[in-house]
Amino acid sequence: MSDNTVASASPAPLTLLGLGSMGAALARTWLAAGHPLTVWNRSPGRTAELAAAGARVAATAAEAVTASPLVVTCLLDDASVRAALAEADLTGKDLVDLTTSTPAESRTRAAWASERGARFLDGGIMAVPPMIGAPEAGGYVFYSGSREVFDAHRATLAVPVATRYVGADPGFAALHDVALLSAMTAMFAGARHAAALVADSGIDRHEFGTLVAEWLTAMAPATAAYAGGPAPDDPTSAAVAEAGDAALLRTAEEQGVGTALLLASAGAMDGV
């Protein structure tokens, strides 16, 4: 299910723990939409701008939690979430964790929250800070866990960026998030490898960068096949593909570029 970024008809109060680049961007959009917002950050210096915009600044995470029925965490990692909430009373709270984590960590956090009397929803942010509050940028957040929590707070959660609920398993949002980030990481690694091949060759780097972006865009639809989507027609024989892979390796060696990425990619393809 996908929702467009919207403003809540009746801006609901919420608490946000964590004011890094992403947390601050989230906070600004909720404040702009009129939501009463309580914030906390381990480094108090980050709160001044938001306080000037109308946020209530709590001295401790535990104090911030008491202020609102909806508590959103956007911290460095899972350990940071546990530390921040160690002294907080979560009884009756709805906890939404937007901290990047593994599926197992998200499931453990859901059980931990339940033991402390809270309902839990995990989130995986598929956006960078400049995309927050900009619907046209195409960002969104995967959510998984309590459907009741998602439905109760959907309008509030959709203010900064669009929402996609992906299932009751608390680990599904993290799994979607990390899987897509892994694909992105490999894509960027491939682009860096391509740039290294042409470095110091006399080829215009800016023009070549445009070619890389155009080529990857053209090839992108074919990637759906690896997740069970329709495979594109490809008349390339196994022998031709093998010869092509060998040429990739020889070229890297000729250009003095490491072959680890290519070898790792070939190994990954063998398992598909």
Side-chain angles (χ1 to χ4, degrees), residues 114-140:
S114 179
E115 291 169 357
R116 299 184 63 177
R119 299 190 299 179
F120 182 81
L121 189 68
D122 194 57
I125 304 176
M126 304 309 301
V128 292
M131 298 169 72
I132 302 301
E136 69 281 1
Y140 56 89

Side-chain angles (χ1 to χ4, degrees), residues 187 190-192 194-195 206-218:
M187 178 188 72
R192 289 194 295 269
H206 293 291
E207 182 178 342
F208 182 75
T210 299
L211 291 175
V212 171
E214 291 174 348
W215 174 247
L216 292 178
T217 299

Side-chain angles (χ1 to χ4, degrees), residues 11-154:
L14 73 154
T15 285
L16 174 63
L17 307 181
L19 298 174
S21 297
M22 180 60 73
L26 294 170
R28 285 191 291 268
T29 58
W30 275 315
L31 287 169
H35 287 265
L37 180 67
T38 299
V39 299
W40 171 85
N41 193 68
R42 191 173 301 278
S43 301
R46 293 176 178 264
T47 62
E49 173 195 349
L50 298 174
R56 175 195 169 200
V57 179
T60 66
E63 177 188 328
V65 168
T66 65
S68 315
L70 173 60
V71 178
V72 178
T73 55
C74 187
L75 297 163
L76 177 63
D77 53 23
D78 186 66
S80 300
V81 176
R82 179 180 291 274
L85 296 175
E87 304 300 325
D89 181 4
L90 295 178
T91 306
K93 302 295 182 179
D94 288 340
L95 177 61
V96 178
D97 187 9
L98 300 182
T99 303
T100 301
S101 60
T102 71
E105 288 171 342
S106 296
R107 295 179 185 118
T108 298
R109 179 66 53 232
W112 176 89
S114 179
E115 291 169 357
R116 299 184 63 177
R119 299 190 299 179
F120 182 81
L121 189 68
D122 194 57
I125 304 176
M126 304 309 301
V128 292
M131 298 169 72
I132 302 301
E136 69 281 1
Y140 56 89
V141 177
F142 288 120
Y143 287 101
S144 66
S146 171
R147 182 63 196 239
E148 291 77 14
V149 173
F150 177 75
D151 287 341
H153 302 292
R154 183 187 308 185

